[in-house]
Amino acid sequence: MLRYIKSAASLVLWLWVSLALSLPNCPFPGAAFPKPTNLAASPTIQAALKSLTATFQTFDTTQSNNPDGTSWSLQVFSASADQPVWEHYHTAKNLLDQSSSFAVGPDTVYRLGSLTKIFTIMTFIAEAGDTRWNDPITKYIPELQLLAARAQSDPVMNVDWSSVTLGALASHMAGIMRDYALEGELTQEHNQTVLMGQGFPAAPATQVPNCGEAVLCNRAQLFAGLAITPPSFVPSNTPAYSNLAYQLLAYALESITRKSFTQMVEADILTKLGLSRTYYRQTPPLRFGRNTPGNEVGWNFSLGESSP
Ligand SMILES: *[C@@H]1O[C@H](CO)[C@@H](O)[C@H](O)[C@H]1NC(C)=O
Ligand SMILES: *[C@@H]1O[C@H](CO)[C@@H](O)[C@H](O)[C@H]1NC(C)=O
């Protein structure tokens, strides 16, 4: 009996090993359904979209949504069709130039924030492939190589940069802070007197960033600041969203390709995909955003080297 169990066990093991060797990937078990196409013709989808339209018609006039002060554009689309399956646009009347007949539509330009982080990753893969995710960032950024040894004596106050991989940066697992000084709430928007009145301790003048929001930090200022910036967590331990991580990925890519990140995004993504209304370095004309003069707060604002 024991012998039988043993040979059954080795058979199972053999099967498992041979399966593992013959299948390069491990898909989730379960039924494989064909990808749905021609969604617009489906009665189920049509019924759902009708309900979606009704929901948004209510939404457009609900005062708590600020419909007179906020415009919105929505599209539902399928990767297998050129035209959206559903679209809906709302034009805020207080943002419109009263003399114009413009209305928000499919070509209206909005300011996007971190949604474009996907551009950074796609540019990286297009330019450098997908074999470098386990490399440490110190291999590509000499300034961080210089800081790397500090974590050995004090890992609480210093980022262990040689354990931070490109993959950890890309997946918000590096444990580094969200931004160095980009969001200026604590550095540039209020002075020390105001901040201490709110309960913050006095910050030593030498540790207060002198760039970030009103004056953007250049590369040298950023790395000088990172030399005195502690980690949030140890690397690869827990998710922690970081804009700074993407800036570092862009610097790494520039070091790999010897090209400027801006040129790479424009060539690999914006031009290749025909995204003619997506702007990386120039400010689009105000009218593309359907703003009136005086309502363009933040429209022409660059994040500089933090843009990736
Ligand atoms: C700090 O800011 C407050 C509010 O703007 C201002 O009243 C105060 O004079 C400022 N203090 C210093 C030292 O600049
Ligand atoms: C945007 O602002 C910069 C200065 O920060 C200025 O040089 C440029 O002309 C502005 N562009 C537009 C389209 O307003």
Side-chain angles (χ1 to χ4, degrees), residues 59-93:
F59 195 92
D60 290 349
T61 52
T62 304
Q63 283 312 305
S64 58
N65 295 331
N66 188 21
D68 294 344
T70 309
S71 300
W72 45 83
S73 304
L74 294 108
Q75 289 187 338
V76 174
F77 56 88
S78 152
S80 60
D82 286 337
Q83 294 304 315
V85 177
W86 181 83
E87 49 196 324
H88 181 87
Y89 308 101
H90 168 75
T91 307
K93 61 174 192 261

mmCIF file of all heavy atoms in Angstrom, residues 59-93:
data_model
loop_
_atom_site.group_PDB
_atom_site.id
_atom_site.type_symbol
_atom_site.label_atom_id
_atom_site.label_comp_id
_atom_site.label_asym_id
_atom_site.label_seq_id
_atom_site.Cartn_x
_atom_site.Cartn_y
_atom_site.Cartn_z
ATOM 1 N N PHE A 59 -27.398 63.107 -13.567
ATOM 2 C CA PHE A 59 -26.122 63.598 -13.033
ATOM 3 C C PHE A 59 -25.823 65.014 -13.527
ATOM 4 O O PHE A 59 -25.372 65.885 -12.780
ATOM 5 C CB PHE A 59 -25.031 62.627 -13.514
ATOM 6 C CG PHE A 59 -23.716 62.727 -12.819
ATOM 7 C CD1 PHE A 59 -23.438 61.945 -11.708
ATOM 8 C CD2 PHE A 59 -22.724 63.578 -13.289
ATOM 9 C CE1 PHE A 59 -22.202 62.011 -11.076
ATOM 10 C CE2 PHE A 59 -21.491 63.662 -12.665
ATOM 11 C CZ PHE A 59 -21.236 62.875 -11.551
ATOM 12 N N ASP A 60 -26.124 65.261 -14.845
ATOM 13 C CA ASP A 60 -25.831 66.561 -15.475
ATOM 14 C C ASP A 60 -26.585 67.724 -14.835
ATOM 15 O O ASP A 60 -26.205 68.888 -15.023
ATOM 16 C CB ASP A 60 -26.231 66.533 -16.958
ATOM 17 C CG ASP A 60 -25.340 65.641 -17.794
ATOM 18 O OD1 ASP A 60 -24.299 65.203 -17.287
ATOM 19 O OD2 ASP A 60 -25.699 65.381 -18.961
ATOM 20 N N THR A 61 -27.680 67.424 -14.172
ATOM 21 C CA THR A 61 -28.487 68.512 -13.616
ATOM 22 C C THR A 61 -28.528 68.469 -12.092
ATOM 23 O O THR A 61 -29.280 69.220 -11.480
ATOM 24 C CB THR A 61 -29.933 68.432 -14.160
ATOM 25 O OG1 THR A 61 -30.424 67.108 -13.942
ATOM 26 C CG2 THR A 61 -29.989 68.747 -15.639
ATOM 27 N N THR A 62 -27.752 67.571 -11.498
ATOM 28 C CA THR A 62 -27.721 67.495 -10.032
ATOM 29 C C THR A 62 -26.798 68.583 -9.505
ATOM 30 O O THR A 62 -25.603 68.600 -9.819
ATOM 31 C CB THR A 62 -27.220 66.099 -9.585
ATOM 32 O OG1 THR A 62 -28.059 65.118 -10.176
ATOM 33 C CG2 THR A 62 -27.241 65.953 -8.069
ATOM 34 N N GLN A 63 -27.358 69.543 -8.751
ATOM 35 C CA GLN A 63 -26.586 70.726 -8.375
ATOM 36 C C GLN A 63 -25.334 70.389 -7.566
ATOM 37 O O GLN A 63 -24.311 71.056 -7.677
ATOM 38 C CB GLN A 63 -27.470 71.715 -7.609
ATOM 39 C CG GLN A 63 -28.410 72.508 -8.534
ATOM 40 C CD GLN A 63 -27.699 73.091 -9.752
ATOM 41 O OE1 GLN A 63 -26.709 73.811 -9.627
ATOM 42 N NE2 GLN A 63 -28.192 72.767 -10.966
ATOM 43 N N SER A 64 -25.375 69.308 -6.771
ATOM 44 C CA SER A 64 -24.188 68.974 -5.972
ATOM 45 C C SER A 64 -23.014 68.534 -6.854
ATOM 46 O O SER A 64 -21.878 68.471 -6.397
ATOM 47 C CB SER A 64 -24.528 67.893 -4.941
ATOM 48 O OG SER A 64 -25.021 66.749 -5.605
ATOM 49 N N ASN A 65 -23.263 68.236 -8.120
ATOM 50 C CA ASN A 65 -22.160 67.916 -9.045
ATOM 51 C C ASN A 65 -21.558 69.171 -9.674
ATOM 52 O O ASN A 65 -20.664 69.066 -10.508
ATOM 53 C CB ASN A 65 -22.656 66.999 -10.170
ATOM 54 C CG ASN A 65 -23.086 65.646 -9.646
ATOM 55 O OD1 ASN A 65 -22.562 65.184 -8.649
ATOM 56 N ND2 ASN A 65 -24.045 65.028 -10.310
ATOM 57 N N ASN A 66 -22.072 70.332 -9.314
ATOM 58 C CA ASN A 66 -21.590 71.598 -9.865
ATOM 59 C C ASN A 66 -21.623 71.605 -11.398
ATOM 60 O O ASN A 66 -20.619 71.890 -12.048
ATOM 61 C CB ASN A 66 -20.164 71.875 -9.350
ATOM 62 C CG ASN A 66 -19.669 73.252 -9.717
ATOM 63 O OD1 ASN A 66 -20.467 74.158 -10.008
ATOM 64 N ND2 ASN A 66 -18.355 73.430 -9.741
ATOM 65 N N PRO A 67 -22.771 71.288 -12.002
ATOM 66 C CA PRO A 67 -22.819 71.163 -13.469
ATOM 67 C C PRO A 67 -22.563 72.477 -14.208
ATOM 68 O O PRO A 67 -22.154 72.460 -15.370
ATOM 69 C CB PRO A 67 -24.233 70.640 -13.746
ATOM 70 C CG PRO A 67 -25.039 71.033 -12.555
ATOM 71 C CD PRO A 67 -24.093 71.032 -11.386
ATOM 72 N N ASP A 68 -22.759 73.624 -13.543
ATOM 73 C CA ASP A 68 -22.484 74.895 -14.225
ATOM 74 C C ASP A 68 -21.011 75.251 -14.178
ATOM 75 O O ASP A 68 -20.543 76.104 -14.939
ATOM 76 C CB ASP A 68 -23.310 76.024 -13.586
ATOM 77 C CG ASP A 68 -24.799 75.820 -13.813
ATOM 78 O OD1 ASP A 68 -25.154 75.015 -14.702
ATOM 79 O OD2 ASP A 68 -25.599 76.444 -13.089
ATOM 80 N N GLY A 69 -20.263 74.620 -13.263
ATOM 81 C CA GLY A 69 -18.847 74.965 -13.129
ATOM 82 C C GLY A 69 -17.900 73.866 -13.578
ATOM 83 O O GLY A 69 -16.693 74.067 -13.612
ATOM 84 N N THR A 70 -18.424 72.698 -13.900
ATOM 85 C CA THR A 70 -17.561 71.581 -14.288
ATOM 86 C C THR A 70 -18.088 70.942 -15.565
ATOM 87 O O THR A 70 -19.277 70.624 -15.645
ATOM 88 C CB THR A 70 -17.530 70.497 -13.175
ATOM 89 O OG1 THR A 70 -17.234 71.122 -11.935
ATOM 90 C CG2 THR A 70 -16.466 69.447 -13.455
ATOM 91 N N SER A 71 -17.208 70.765 -16.536
ATOM 92 C CA SER A 71 -17.575 70.054 -17.765
ATOM 93 C C SER A 71 -17.074 68.621 -17.673
ATOM 94 O O SER A 71 -16.105 68.350 -16.963
ATOM 95 C CB SER A 71 -16.927 70.712 -18.987
ATOM 96 O OG SER A 71 -17.359 72.041 -19.107
ATOM 97 N N TRP A 72 -17.723 67.714 -18.389
ATOM 98 C CA TRP A 72 -17.186 66.355 -18.437
ATOM 99 C C TRP A 72 -17.446 65.692 -19.778
ATOM 100 O O TRP A 72 -18.390 66.029 -20.479
ATOM 101 C CB TRP A 72 -17.697 65.483 -17.295
ATOM 102 C CG TRP A 72 -19.155 65.534 -16.965
ATOM 103 C CD1 TRP A 72 -20.154 64.851 -17.583
ATOM 104 C CD2 TRP A 72 -19.773 66.296 -15.903
ATOM 105 N NE1 TRP A 72 -21.352 65.131 -16.974
ATOM 106 C CE2 TRP A 72 -21.149 65.997 -15.947
ATOM 107 C CE3 TRP A 72 -19.299 67.175 -14.929
ATOM 108 C CZ2 TRP A 72 -22.068 66.567 -15.057
ATOM 109 C CZ3 TRP A 72 -20.211 67.734 -14.050
ATOM 110 C CH2 TRP A 72 -21.568 67.440 -14.103
ATOM 111 N N SER A 73 -16.547 64.798 -20.136
ATOM 112 C CA SER A 73 -16.645 64.008 -21.368
ATOM 113 C C SER A 73 -16.432 62.556 -21.007
ATOM 114 O O SER A 73 -15.469 62.235 -20.314
ATOM 115 C CB SER A 73 -15.544 64.389 -22.367
ATOM 116 O OG SER A 73 -15.566 65.764 -22.647
ATOM 117 N N LEU A 74 -17.326 61.707 -21.453
ATOM 118 C CA LEU A 74 -17.169 60.271 -21.170
ATOM 119 C C LEU A 74 -17.329 59.469 -22.451
ATOM 120 O O LEU A 74 -18.169 59.794 -23.291
ATOM 121 C CB LEU A 74 -18.238 59.787 -20.187
ATOM 122 C CG LEU A 74 -18.165 60.341 -18.785
ATOM 123 C CD1 LEU A 74 -19.276 61.328 -18.545
ATOM 124 C CD2 LEU A 74 -18.244 59.223 -17.789
ATOM 125 N N GLN A 75 -16.522 58.440 -22.580
ATOM 126 C CA GLN A 75 -16.700 57.502 -23.689
ATOM 127 C C GLN A 75 -16.495 56.085 -23.159
ATOM 128 O O GLN A 75 -15.634 55.846 -22.328
ATOM 129 C CB GLN A 75 -15.666 57.742 -24.798
ATOM 130 C CG GLN A 75 -15.899 59.020 -25.577
ATOM 131 C CD GLN A 75 -14.964 59.145 -26.767
ATOM 132 O OE1 GLN A 75 -13.907 58.523 -26.802
ATOM 133 N NE2 GLN A 75 -15.358 59.948 -27.730
ATOM 134 N N VAL A 76 -17.306 55.172 -23.670
ATOM 135 C CA VAL A 76 -17.065 53.746 -23.444
ATOM 136 C C VAL A 76 -16.660 53.199 -24.800
ATOM 137 O O VAL A 76 -17.339 53.444 -25.794
ATOM 138 C CB VAL A 76 -18.356 53.032 -22.969
ATOM 139 C CG1 VAL A 76 -18.131 51.524 -22.875
ATOM 140 C CG2 VAL A 76 -18.813 53.588 -21.636
ATOM 141 N N PHE A 77 -15.508 52.544 -24.849
ATOM 142 C CA PHE A 77 -15.095 52.037 -26.168
ATOM 143 C C PHE A 77 -14.542 50.635 -26.052
ATOM 144 O O PHE A 77 -14.174 50.173 -24.976
ATOM 145 C CB PHE A 77 -14.087 52.983 -26.821
ATOM 146 C CG PHE A 77 -12.868 53.243 -25.986
ATOM 147 C CD1 PHE A 77 -11.760 52.409 -26.070
ATOM 148 C CD2 PHE A 77 -12.832 54.328 -25.104
ATOM 149 C CE1 PHE A 77 -10.651 52.652 -25.291
ATOM 150 C CE2 PHE A 77 -11.717 54.573 -24.327
ATOM 151 C CZ PHE A 77 -10.623 53.733 -24.418
ATOM 152 N N SER A 78 -14.550 49.985 -27.196
ATOM 153 C CA SER A 78 -14.056 48.615 -27.279
ATOM 154 C C SER A 78 -12.794 48.626 -28.130
ATOM 155 O O SER A 78 -12.711 49.370 -29.105
ATOM 156 C CB SER A 78 -15.135 47.754 -27.934
ATOM 157 O OG SER A 78 -14.555 46.662 -28.600
ATOM 158 N N ALA A 79 -11.823 47.802 -27.751
ATOM 159 C CA ALA A 79 -10.563 47.775 -28.503
ATOM 160 C C ALA A 79 -10.784 47.264 -29.927
ATOM 161 O O ALA A 79 -9.944 47.446 -30.789
ATOM 162 C CB ALA A 79 -9.548 46.900 -27.778
ATOM 163 N N SER A 80 -11.938 46.634 -30.185
ATOM 164 C CA SER A 80 -12.137 46.066 -31.523
ATOM 165 C C SER A 80 -12.932 46.989 -32.449
ATOM 166 O O SER A 80 -13.268 46.606 -33.557
ATOM 167 C CB SER A 80 -12.848 44.713 -31.413
ATOM 168 O OG SER A 80 -14.102 44.877 -30.787
ATOM 169 N N ALA A 81 -13.279 48.192 -31.989
ATOM 170 C CA ALA A 81 -14.063 49.094 -32.845
ATOM 171 C C ALA A 81 -13.438 50.482 -32.846
ATOM 172 O O ALA A 81 -12.856 50.901 -31.854
ATOM 173 C CB ALA A 81 -15.502 49.163 -32.338
ATOM 174 N N ASP A 82 -13.567 51.177 -33.954
ATOM 175 C CA ASP A 82 -12.994 52.518 -34.052
ATOM 176 C C ASP A 82 -13.876 53.567 -33.374
ATOM 177 O O ASP A 82 -13.389 54.584 -32.898
ATOM 178 C CB ASP A 82 -12.802 52.907 -35.522
ATOM 179 C CG ASP A 82 -11.619 52.165 -36.127
ATOM 180 O OD1 ASP A 82 -10.744 51.741 -35.348
ATOM 181 O OD2 ASP A 82 -11.595 52.008 -37.352
ATOM 182 N N GLN A 83 -15.185 53.333 -33.392
ATOM 183 C CA GLN A 83 -16.099 54.321 -32.821
ATOM 184 C C GLN A 83 -16.451 53.936 -31.380
ATOM 185 O O GLN A 83 -16.568 52.749 -31.076
ATOM 186 C CB GLN A 83 -17.393 54.381 -33.658
ATOM 187 C CG GLN A 83 -17.181 54.901 -35.069
ATOM 188 C CD GLN A 83 -16.526 56.274 -35.078
ATOM 189 O OE1 GLN A 83 -16.918 57.159 -34.323
ATOM 190 N NE2 GLN A 83 -15.500 56.447 -35.922
ATOM 191 N N PRO A 84 -16.643 54.934 -30.500
ATOM 192 C CA PRO A 84 -17.042 54.581 -29.131
ATOM 193 C C PRO A 84 -18.405 53.881 -29.111
ATOM 194 O O PRO A 84 -19.275 54.182 -29.934
ATOM 195 C CB PRO A 84 -17.103 55.926 -28.409
ATOM 196 C CG PRO A 84 -16.924 56.978 -29.440
ATOM 197 C CD PRO A 84 -16.465 56.364 -30.704
ATOM 198 N N VAL A 85 -18.563 52.985 -28.160
ATOM 199 C CA VAL A 85 -19.844 52.286 -27.989
ATOM 200 C C VAL A 85 -20.870 53.233 -27.364
ATOM 201 O O VAL A 85 -22.062 53.137 -27.588
ATOM 202 C CB VAL A 85 -19.636 51.050 -27.084
ATOM 203 C CG1 VAL A 85 -20.948 50.327 -26.824
ATOM 204 C CG2 VAL A 85 -18.628 50.097 -27.696
ATOM 205 N N TRP A 86 -20.366 54.166 -26.562
ATOM 206 C CA TRP A 86 -21.259 55.124 -25.883
ATOM 207 C C TRP A 86 -20.463 56.388 -25.596
ATOM 208 O O TRP A 86 -19.252 56.334 -25.368
ATOM 209 C CB TRP A 86 -21.725 54.505 -24.558
ATOM 210 C CG TRP A 86 -22.661 55.356 -23.744
ATOM 211 C CD1 TRP A 86 -24.008 55.470 -23.910
ATOM 212 C CD2 TRP A 86 -22.320 56.181 -22.614
ATOM 213 N NE1 TRP A 86 -24.519 56.321 -22.956
ATOM 214 C CE2 TRP A 86 -23.507 56.761 -22.141
ATOM 215 C CE3 TRP A 86 -21.122 56.490 -21.959
ATOM 216 C CZ2 TRP A 86 -23.549 57.638 -21.064
ATOM 217 C CZ3 TRP A 86 -21.161 57.349 -20.875
ATOM 218 C CH2 TRP A 86 -22.366 57.918 -20.435
ATOM 219 N N GLU A 87 -21.105 57.530 -25.687
ATOM 220 C CA GLU A 87 -20.413 58.771 -25.336
ATOM 221 C C GLU A 87 -21.404 59.756 -24.731
ATOM 222 O O GLU A 87 -22.609 59.672 -24.974
ATOM 223 C CB GLU A 87 -19.690 59.379 -26.539
ATOM 224 C CG GLU A 87 -20.514 59.508 -27.789
ATOM 225 C CD GLU A 87 -19.668 59.748 -29.037
ATOM 226 O OE1 GLU A 87 -18.654 60.451 -28.942
ATOM 227 O OE2 GLU A 87 -20.039 59.245 -30.097
ATOM 228 N N HIS A 88 -20.868 60.640 -23.947
ATOM 229 C CA HIS A 88 -21.717 61.604 -23.257
ATOM 230 C C HIS A 88 -20.871 62.833 -22.913
ATOM 231 O O HIS A 88 -19.755 62.692 -22.424
ATOM 232 C CB HIS A 88 -22.267 60.971 -21.967
ATOM 233 C CG HIS A 88 -23.163 61.883 -21.201
ATOM 234 N ND1 HIS A 88 -24.512 61.978 -21.447
ATOM 235 C CD2 HIS A 88 -22.895 62.764 -20.205
ATOM 236 C CE1 HIS A 88 -25.035 62.879 -20.626
ATOM 237 N NE2 HIS A 88 -24.073 63.365 -19.867
ATOM 238 N N TYR A 89 -21.407 64.008 -23.210
ATOM 239 C CA TYR A 89 -20.635 65.236 -22.968
ATOM 240 C C TYR A 89 -21.508 66.242 -22.236
ATOM 241 O O TYR A 89 -22.698 66.353 -22.522
ATOM 242 C CB TYR A 89 -20.153 65.832 -24.300
ATOM 243 C CG TYR A 89 -19.428 64.808 -25.127
ATOM 244 C CD1 TYR A 89 -20.049 64.168 -26.191
ATOM 245 C CD2 TYR A 89 -18.124 64.448 -24.795
ATOM 246 C CE1 TYR A 89 -19.393 63.187 -26.917
ATOM 247 C CE2 TYR A 89 -17.462 63.468 -25.511
ATOM 248 C CZ TYR A 89 -18.096 62.842 -26.574
ATOM 249 O OH TYR A 89 -17.447 61.860 -27.273
ATOM 250 N N HIS A 90 -20.884 66.936 -21.330
ATOM 251 C CA HIS A 90 -21.621 67.979 -20.617
ATOM 252 C C HIS A 90 -20.785 69.263 -20.609
ATOM 253 O O HIS A 90 -19.602 69.238 -20.260
ATOM 254 C CB HIS A 90 -21.910 67.550 -19.175
ATOM 255 C CG HIS A 90 -22.405 68.674 -18.330
ATOM 256 N ND1 HIS A 90 -23.691 69.159 -18.439
ATOM 257 C CD2 HIS A 90 -21.774 69.446 -17.409
ATOM 258 C CE1 HIS A 90 -23.825 70.178 -17.598
ATOM 259 N NE2 HIS A 90 -22.680 70.368 -16.969
ATOM 260 N N THR A 91 -21.388 70.350 -20.993
ATOM 261 C CA THR A 91 -20.689 71.632 -21.043
ATOM 262 C C THR A 91 -21.156 72.519 -19.898
ATOM 263 O O THR A 91 -22.348 72.820 -19.788
ATOM 264 C CB THR A 91 -20.989 72.335 -22.382
ATOM 265 O OG1 THR A 91 -20.700 71.432 -23.434
ATOM 266 C CG2 THR A 91 -20.158 73.583 -22.534
ATOM 267 N N ALA A 92 -20.216 72.927 -19.062
ATOM 268 C CA ALA A 92 -20.554 73.820 -17.954
ATOM 269 C C ALA A 92 -20.776 75.221 -18.497
ATOM 270 O O ALA A 92 -19.890 75.775 -19.144
ATOM 271 C CB ALA A 92 -19.421 73.821 -16.933
ATOM 272 N N LYS A 93 -21.916 75.800 -18.225
ATOM 273 C CA LYS A 93 -22.182 77.087 -18.878
ATOM 274 C C LYS A 93 -21.331 78.216 -18.312
ATOM 275 O O LYS A 93 -20.990 79.140 -19.028
ATOM 276 C CB LYS A 93 -23.672 77.412 -18.887
ATOM 277 C CG LYS A 93 -24.362 77.555 -17.566
ATOM 278 C CD LYS A 93 -25.808 78.026 -17.852
ATOM 279 C CE LYS A 93 -26.498 78.469 -16.598
ATOM 280 N NZ LYS A 93 -27.383 77.456 -16.015
#
